[in-house]
Amino acid sequence: MASVVSSVIPRGQVDLVDFVDWSGVECLNQTTSHPLANALKQGYRDDDGLHLESDADEQLLIYVPFTQVIKLHSAVITGPEEEGPKTVKLFANKEHMGFSNVNDYPPSDSLNLSPDNLKGMPVMLKYVKFQNVRSLTIFIEDNQADGDVTKVQKIALFGTTVDTTNMKDLKKIEEH
Amino acid sequence: MVLEATMICIDNSEWMRNGDYSPSRYQAQADAINLICGAKTQSNPENTVGVLTMAGKGVRVLVTPTSDLGKILACMHGLEIGGEMNLTAGIQVAQLALKHRQNKKQKQRIIVFAGSPIKYDKKTLEAIGRKLKKNSVALDVVDFGESDDGKPEKLEALVAAVNNNDNSHIVHVPPGPSALSDVLISTPIFTGDGEGGSGFAAAAAAAAAGGMSGFDFGVDPNMDPELALALRISMEEERARQEAAAKKASEEAAKQEKVGEQASSSQDAAMTEAVDTSAVVADDKKQNLTDDEAALLEQALAMSMDGAKSTSVDITDADMSDATAEDPELAYALQMSVQETARDSSSQSEMSKVLEDQSFVSSILNSLPGVDPNDPSLKDFLASLQGQSETQQKQKEDESEKGGQLSFFWVPLVSCGGGPRACFIFGARICSSVTSLWPVDYPTFY
């Protein structure tokens, strides 16, 4: 019997950090001392001392694959007031983008973060565009102060999962 | 063992016709590239390598990243030399080729051979470097061939801009007798980032540089401790064997020339004979022999012989004061060695045995450009040495083991040709300090 990963809480959302496929997570233009894990991983992202920082210039390209298909509802992106991100573009299901072709595709959603967002207020996304998301690409184009370095404290994604067979769980659980 | 996709940018411009690297710049480059391709594909079977040319009619990709070594080597044939190298376009095309690699899990690396002058300014190169870093592409640069003003600095700036956590390197190869590939083998370009040598690179390094790669015996003790230990033990056994062989040779020489009288006098006569026959050869090599040089030769010999003889000690002391006035470091080093050799008298026996070998000593003297073996003071001194060594030898015959330390160090030095440095290194402890001081004191020897 194939196992089925438990579905979603019907109302509201789930923090999708549990469904991130960590082996495929990539971030371009990050500094080695301040990597993506500081902003994405449970525990690290709430630590104020750790943040994600850009290296050569202010742009960041983050690729997050998921272990199953999800619907994306909203996101929380926090950062310092000056160096926090401003323009953020989201691409659903586009793999291995680079800085050169990131502007060739229309984004699934484009966010303009306000200082309130940077303090923790969630941003509502275009839910209809994120119905069937296997992977998410986050392109941080610039920051609040238009400086050379962008810092991100936390990236949290909220949404719901679609009933999917998680191949890794096949052997473990059996339901009758 | 890093999974990598590499693009190699060849410089096939007109500047590559020059022959200051043997056989020609272009050929040296081609050999180096062949070796790099082999090393990359061997270190990880899933690695891919691609090649493009930067000069000629324009930047042209010869082969996209592939793990098929035969295809890569084949495409290097029949390349035409001509045109001017376009560094920026070459790097950008390489970046594009890497972006479209099949296995996205591979890390991206570009290796550039920069043989012609660079016409771009530093700022442009730094901007390119930052772009590469942003896209997490590593860059290795081989700076060879033309060295106009500013080229090394420009390339250094480029690599510094790309460098992220020590993944990019630059190597400057000046023209010289050694091949471009040999110089590159020991660099991080070959050995990978901090891997300490894959099997291919380590073996090649050992072959090319005579076992003197970054690690002893070309094997990283961390990667392969058993192999490193086995190599070290076998090296020491070999040295012990060679030292025993040298001992045997000197004893046989002594037996052959014995007339039946006192051993010392016979050896003395034999010594003079040997010296005489080689006098003609020595004459050719005669240069300005200053008193200082002869004096220091005697002094060095005396130091190693524990200064037992009074006359030699007097000479030694006199010369020591002269030398001390000129060079306190040398005096200190000599003093140190005197103390140490005085402590370990048994080691002297080994030394004496080695010194006894007349053919050995005369060959050393012959190779010294500034020393004339016919110099009477020198001959007398050596005769006195022989006398000393004889008496010591009889007492300390059985203590060869302890002296092994000294001899084994001695033997490899001799085998490398007995140049002026090696000859004056009679005491193992002296050697490091004297070697460094030697060129300063005696420029005429070169």
Side-chain angles (χ1 to χ4, degrees):
Chain A
M1 294 276 277
S3 72
V4 173
V5 180
S6 71
S7 182
V8 52
I9 305 161
R11 288 151 66 171
Q13 326 130 12
V14 153
D15 190 338
L16 297 172
V17 72
D18 300 323
F19 303 105
V20 170
D21 177 10
W22 293 105
S23 65
V25 164
E26 278 174 17
C27 180
L28 289 181
N29 200 26
Q30 62 179 344
T31 49
T32 27
S33 51
H34 299 277
L36 175 62
N38 288 356
L40 211 49
K41 274 196 175 168
Q42 198 89 33
Y44 289 73
R45 63 188 186 179
D46 295 314
D47 185 344
D48 284 335
L50 300 172
H51 59 268
L52 164 67
E53 196 172 308
S54 67
D55 196 357
D57 63 7
E58 73 279 5
Q59 297 184 340
L60 282 164
L61 193 59
I62 303 166
Y63 173 69
V64 183
F66 297 100
T67 52
Q68 53 172 313
V69 178
I70 50 148
K71 296 182 206 267
L72 206 53
H73 181 267
S74 55
V76 168
I77 301 178
T78 64
E81 211 176 300
E82 290 289 307
E83 297 113 335
K86 188 163 76 181
T87 314
V88 178
K89 292 188 177 156
L90 299 173
F91 300 84
N93 297 330
K94 286 264 181 336
E95 299 207 334
H96 302 115
M97 296 183 83
F99 286 105
S100 49
N101 65 351
V102 75
N103 285 317
D104 293 344
Y105 304 104
S108 305
D109 200 356
S110 180
L111 316 171
N112 204 322
L113 296 179
S114 65
D116 284 337
N117 294 125
L118 289 177
K119 293 221 172 51
M121 200 174 86
V123 179
M124 296 300 138
L125 305 172
K126 285 187 190 142
Y127 196 46
V128 283
K129 298 260 184 174
F130 294 102
Q131 288 297 296
N132 202 347
V133 178
R134 259 269 168 204
S135 71
L136 184 67
T137 304
I138 305 172
F139 173 48
I140 298 176
E141 202 165 355
D142 51 27
N143 54 44
Q144 300 283 334
D146 284 329
D148 258 346
V149 177
T150 304
K151 293 185 185 168
V152 183
Q153 187 64 44
K154 173 175 169 179
I155 298 176
L157 303 165
F158 297 98
T160 59
T161 59
V162 175
D163 285 347
T164 318
T165 309
N166 187 350
M167 301 303 286
K168 295 194 181 94
D169 286 345
L170 263 176
K171 286 189 196 147
K172 286 190 251 169
I173 309 166
E174 268 213 330
E175 280 183 5
H176 292 278
Chain B
M1 274 302 170
V2 178
L3 183 58
E4 231 176 26
T6 311
M7 276 303 287
I8 303 185
C9 302
I10 304 180
D11 181 0
N12 60 333
S13 61
E14 287 287 350
W15 279 272
M16 291 299 110
R17 290 191 198 275
N18 196 328
D20 52 359
Y21 296 79
S22 58
S24 75
R25 283 184 187 171
Y26 175 72
Q27 201 50 51
Q29 200 191 175
D31 292 338
I33 291 170
N34 290 342
L35 276 172
I36 290 179
C37 293
K40 294 282 179 198
T41 45
Q42 255 206 15
S43 76
N44 187 329
E46 286 191 51
N47 277 354
T48 56
V49 180
V51 176
L52 62 79
T53 53
M54 292 192 284
K57 291 211 179 77
V59 176
R60 191 160 68 97
V61 175
L62 299 173
V63 60
T64 55
T66 170
S67 52
D68 183 357
L69 189 58
K71 201 163 160 198
I72 302 167
L73 298 180
C75 82
M76 298 273 300
H77 277 195
L79 276 183
E80 288 179 1
I81 299 180
E84 251 187 56
M85 174 178 87
N86 189 344
L87 183 64
T88 47
I91 292 181
Q92 283 166 347
V93 172
Q95 196 182 340
L96 205 59
L98 285 172
K99 190 166 149 204
H100 294 290
R101 64 196 185 283
Q102 285 186 324
N103 183 356
K104 302 287 181 193
K105 290 222 185 295
Q106 291 166 327
K107 300 237 182 291
Q108 305 170 71
R109 178 173 292 273
I110 300 177
I111 303 182
V112 174
F113 282 82
S116 19
I118 310 274
K119 55 181 185 272
Y120 304 98
D121 61 341
K122 231 181 180 183
K123 283 216 169 39
T124 322
L125 293 175
E126 279 178 357
I128 291 176
R130 276 195 296 272
K131 191 152 165 262
L132 287 176
K133 178 152 86 159
K134 199 172 161 188
N135 288 292
S136 83
V137 178
L139 178 69
D140 289 333
V141 175
V142 179
D143 172 18
F144 71 112
E146 292 295 312
S147 55
D148 62 352
D149 43 9
K151 183 180 174 197
E153 288 82 29
K154 285 181 186 172
L155 293 173
E156 291 271 358
L158 172 63
V159 175
V162 184
N163 197 5
N164 181 11
N165 219 13
D166 235 2
N167 64 352
S168 303
H169 318 96
I170 177 166
V171 179
H172 305 275
V173 186
S178 58
L180 187 61
S181 353
D182 294 339
V183 176
L184 286 180
I185 275 176
S186 52
T187 60
I189 292 180
F190 246 91
T191 59
D193 303 330
E195 283 169 18
S198 63
F200 181 94
M212 287 298 135
S213 69
F215 306 95
D216 304 334
F217 318 119
V219 172
D220 183 355
N222 295 327
M223 300 274 281
D224 206 341
E226 291 100 350
L227 182 57
L229 183 65
L231 285 168
R232 194 170 0 114
I233 288 176
S234 76
M235 173 70 95
E236 286 181 12
E237 279 176 15
E238 173 69 18
R239 284 172 178 162
R241 194 185 59 75
Q242 279 184 351
E243 154 231 328
K247 211 186 349 168
K248 222 178 165 193
S250 69
E251 283 176 23
E252 276 173 23
K255 279 183 208 144
Q256 279 172 14
E257 276 128 1
K258 221 172 224 179
V259 186
E261 292 190 346
Q262 249 199 354
S264 56
S265 55
S266 71
Q267 289 215 351
D268 192 2
M271 171 70 188
T272 9
E273 273 175 39
V275 165
D276 281 336
T277 53
S278 54
V280 179
V281 179
D283 277 338
D284 302 342
K285 299 190 183 173
K286 187 170 183 178
Q287 292 178 12
N288 298 331
L289 181 63
T290 65
D291 284 338
D292 275 349
E293 289 162 352
L296 226 86
L297 165 60
E298 293 169 4
Q299 160 197 328
L301 292 171
M303 284 296 100
S304 67
M305 290 314 297
D306 201 16
K309 257 260 171 146
S310 59
T311 49
S312 53
V313 168
D314 290 342
I315 301 171
T316 306
D317 289 345
D319 296 338
M320 273 279 278
S321 51
D322 288 343
T324 330
E326 294 168 14
D327 207 329
E329 287 171 55
L330 175 58
Y332 178 63
L334 292 169
Q335 222 176 0
M336 247 180 23
S337 72
V338 169
Q339 289 165 7
E340 289 177 1
T341 50
R343 257 182 271 135
D344 190 3
S345 59
S346 62
S347 65
Q348 295 309 308
S349 66
E350 270 315 308
M351 200 98 67
S352 355
K353 280 171 199 153
V354 169
L355 278 174
E356 266 173 5
D357 189 354
Q358 300 90 324
S359 53
F360 176 71
V361 177
S362 55
S363 70
I364 296 172
L365 291 174
N366 290 339
S367 64
L368 290 174
V371 172
D372 182 10
N374 284 336
D375 191 4
S377 60
L378 188 56
K379 272 201 234 169
D380 290 344
F381 185 66
L382 285 167
S384 69
L385 280 182
Q386 297 303 318
Q388 281 177 28
S389 61
E390 262 306 302
T391 49
Q392 283 194 7
Q393 181 195 2
K394 289 193 171 63
Q395 294 167 15
K396 311 281 175 164
E397 195 114 34
D398 51 343
E399 300 234 11
S400 57
E401 202 48 50
K402 254 183 132 187
Q405 279 288 329
L406 222 46
S407 314
F408 81 68
F409 194 91
W410 181 217
V411 172
L413 285 174
V414 168
S415 61
C416 50
R421 275 188 195 158
C423 301
F424 282 84
I425 305 170
F426 275 61
R429 303 275 174 30
I430 261 187
C431 65
S432 51
S433 33
V434 172
T435 331
S436 58
L437 298 169
W438 202 247
V440 174
D441 293 342
Y442 299 95
T444 55
F445 271 59
Y446 289 92

